[in-house]
Amino acid sequence: MANSYATELAAWFREHADQEKARQMEAYMRNQYTFLGIKTPERNRLTKEFWLKHGIPAGDELLAVVKQLWQLPEREFQNVAMAFLEKHGKHAEKSDIDVFEQLVTTKSWWDTVDYLASHTIGDHLTKYPELIDSYTERWIESDDLWLRRTAILYQLRYKKRTDVERLFDYIRRCMDEKDFFIRKAIGWALREYSKTDEAAVRLFVAENPLSPLSAREALKYVSR
């Protein structure tokens, strides 16, 4: 069932491919992936039309569709898969965290990892906080930079619920890294938390030798 569903969805999207737009989108994403050339508004429209005609699978079947879409070469399918994950969120089982982790480490780039970290995983760890210690501790120590980025960003939307001690600890563990995506994540996480506690972020930046990129991003909101 899931296989035929994903196959039909892929065929539906490929009917609307635009090679000129695909080349532009591939260039924007540094040619990391191939594209069909379907931009976000049209992609959302096509997804909703498909759902109206075929319905939306649930539970394990939905996750099976997500995993099949994730394996397709064109980047639009990973983005469509995330739309399915959004529908799945409230119904996710605790063990689904392993699927989400696999998605973070497969076909990884900022456009998928940032959504998975701050929405899919952030919401899941709110629902199942008992998973936080074992998973995020392993991620922050991982050799995979996208898992480290996830550990920094999963609280991005937590505001007053942020575990500040954990956030600051994870940033300290990564603040000497040269990688752009880690430095950017540090600044982004601090900037978002500065909207909740400006003083704490100002003090943290003052007391810790962050990279210029991280510090600049961290203070962007409070210095506006």
Side-chain angles (χ1 to χ4, degrees), residues 63 85 88-101 115-132 135-136 139 150 154-155 157-158 161:
L63 289 180
L85 288 176
H88 181 61
K90 293 180 180 179
H91 309 288
E93 300 292 336
K94 184 190 291 191
S95 61
D96 292 348
I97 187 69
D98 294 319
V99 176
F100 305 152
E101 179 182 84
Y115 178 85
L116 292 168
S118 63
H119 288 78
T120 306
I121 290 174
D123 291 347
H124 198 70
L125 294 180
T126 294
K127 184 176 181 181
Y128 300 107
E130 62 271 23
L131 296 172
I132 292 173
Y135 279 85
T136 66
W139 295 343
T150 296
Y154 82 90
Q155 299 191 81
R157 297 160 60 236
Y158 281 19
R161 295 187 293 109

Side-chain angles (χ1 to χ4, degrees), residues 8-223:
E8 283 195 54
L9 188 150
W12 165 245
F13 268 78
R14 289 190 171 119
E15 289 176 11
H16 297 83
D18 185 318
Q19 290 187 353
E20 183 176 347
K21 289 180 181 177
R23 285 192 292 270
Q24 296 170 0
M25 295 167 77
E26 287 164 7
Y28 175 74
M29 292 292 286
R30 302 182 186 178
N31 295 305
Q32 292 286 321
Y33 301 100
T34 59
F35 280 79
L36 293 171
I38 301 173
K39 295 189 175 181
T40 302
E42 185 181 7
R43 188 185 73 232
N44 291 340
R45 178 182 64 80
L46 291 173
T47 301
K48 290 176 181 178
E49 288 183 17
F50 190 86
W51 285 346
L52 283 173
K53 183 175 181 180
H54 297 275
I56 305 174
D60 290 343
E61 187 177 335
L62 183 146
L63 289 180
V65 169
V66 166
K67 287 188 278 190
Q68 287 165 25
L69 293 176
W70 215 265
Q71 295 305 314
L72 296 177
E74 296 89 355
R75 196 58 165 171
E76 286 88 347
F77 292 122
Q78 285 86 67
N79 286 285
V80 172
M82 291 189 291
F84 280 89
L85 288 176
E86 187 172 348
K87 296 293 184 182
H88 181 61
K90 293 180 180 179
H91 309 288
E93 300 292 336
K94 184 190 291 191
S95 61
D96 292 348
I97 187 69
D98 294 319
V99 176
F100 305 152
E101 179 182 84
Q102 180 184 6
L103 298 178
V104 167
T105 59
T106 308
K107 299 194 174 181
S108 311
W109 198 243
W110 62 265
D111 60 325
T112 54
V113 171
D114 291 358
Y115 178 85
L116 292 168
S118 63
H119 288 78
T120 306
I121 290 174
D123 291 347
H124 198 70
L125 294 180
T126 294
K127 184 176 181 181
Y128 300 107
E130 62 271 23
L131 296 172
I132 292 173
D133 279 345
S134 58
Y135 279 85
T136 66
E137 281 290 326
R138 178 163 52 78
W139 295 343
I140 200 64
E141 295 294 335
S142 172
D143 291 335
D144 188 308
L145 77 90
W146 300 107
L147 286 177
R148 297 198 303 280
R149 185 171 167 102
T150 296
I152 295 168
L153 293 180
Y154 82 90
Q155 299 191 81
L156 200 65
R157 297 160 60 236
Y158 281 19
K159 299 180 180 179
K160 291 182 178 180
R161 295 187 293 109
T162 300
D163 181 341
V164 185
E165 183 177 347
R166 187 183 299 274
L167 174 64
F168 287 175
D169 175 46
Y170 285 3
I171 289 173
R172 289 190 186 97
R173 295 197 216 177
C174 294
M175 66 185 182
D176 293 331
E177 292 192 34
K178 305 297 184 184
D179 185 86
F180 169 83
F181 290 106
I182 294 299
R183 290 184 168 189
K184 190 78 170 180
I186 288 171
W188 187 14
L190 290 171
R191 184 174 75 244
E192 284 304 303
Y193 187 62
S194 76
K195 298 173 185 179
T196 299
D197 191 340
E198 176 179 330
V201 171
R202 283 188 180 276
L203 182 62
F204 183 85
V205 172
E207 291 183 343
N208 292 274
L210 301 177
S211 71
L213 171 61
S214 296
R216 184 170 62 251
E217 289 292 321
L219 298 176
K220 187 175 288 186
Y221 179 78
V222 300
S223 303

